[in-house]
Amino acid sequence: MNAARMIRPASDWLHVGCQHCGPDEGWTVQQIEAQLPEFDGWAVEIEAQGKQGTRLWRRYNFSNFEGVKMAVHALMHLADDEDHHPEASFSYNWLEVRWSTHSAGGISDNDWACAAKLDDLLRHMG
């Protein structure tokens, strides 16, 4: 399934639910680089050659810990709803999130969908 992928705006990913992925469903670095401009604030980490080890990541900044707590709570609910769980770290006024799909060996459709949904949730939180 690693054929050419259709690049779409982040808002289109809000309607995509997470699915189990196999090793052939990870995105290539070229596909990721084409999709990434549709996701403001997100970047990609590439830890190894090719698609293996790639992760979407973003840092959200807040004015205080109360905002961080609300964001972490929203992230936990999203992860449980989608049955897709990110790496996350936080401190007093920031939250970092990294999405990847281990079974796909990197970034999959699931990661784009969760990144879009998290952005949408936090945008509506204020």
Side-chain angles (χ1 to χ4, degrees), residues 7 16-17 22 53-54 68 72 74-75 80 83-84 86 96 104 106 115 118 122:
I7 303 309
V16 175
T54 57
V68 173
V72 169
L75 174 62
D80 283 344
D83 195 23
H84 190 56
E96 284 188 358
L118 182 58
L122 298 184

Side-chain angles (χ1 to χ4, degrees), residues 10 14 18 25 29 46-47 50 55 63 74-77 79 89 92 101 104 115 117 125:
L14 296 174
C18 289
E25 296 179 73
V29 171
I46 302 172
E47 292 187 355
R55 299 182 291 194
S63 59
L75 174 62
M76 290 173 27
H77 281 284
S89 56
Y92 173 75
T101 304
K117 290 174 184 181
M125 279 179 31

Side-chain angles (χ1 to χ4, degrees), residues 25-47:
E25 296 179 73
W27 286 49
T28 66
V29 171
Q30 293 79 16
Q31 292 166 335
I32 293 164
E33 288 174 348
Q35 179 63 60
L36 193 59
E38 300 295 328
F39 283 76
D40 291 335
W42 287 88
V44 65
E45 293 178 334
I46 302 172
E47 292 187 355

Side-chain angles (χ1 to χ4, degrees), residues 47-120:
E47 292 187 355
Q49 194 71 18
K51 71 178 175 71
Q52 295 294 322
T54 57
R55 299 182 291 194
L56 284 175
W57 75 271
R58 179 168 182 178
R59 184 177 185 137
Y60 297 93
N61 294 303
F62 302 90
S63 59
N64 56 41
F65 194 63
E66 204 53 41
V68 173
K69 288 192 313 187
M70 290 178 15
V72 169
H73 187 71
L75 174 62
M76 290 173 27
H77 281 284
L78 171 64
D80 283 344
D81 287 349
E82 294 295 333
D83 195 23
H84 190 56
H85 302 89
E87 294 177 30
S89 56
F90 60 90
S91 188
Y92 173 75
N93 63 349
W94 58 265
L95 164 66
E96 284 188 358
V97 179
R98 288 172 174 78
W99 294 103
S100 66
T101 304
H102 300 289
S103 60
I107 295 172
S108 74
D109 288 1
N110 294 346
D111 304 303
W112 297 112
C114 286
K117 290 174 184 181
L118 182 58
D119 280 351
D120 189 59

Side-chain angles (χ1 to χ4, degrees), residues 10-21:
S11 60
D12 285 2
W13 290 96
L14 296 174
H15 309 291
V16 175
C18 289
Q19 305 289 325
H20 175 73
C21 293

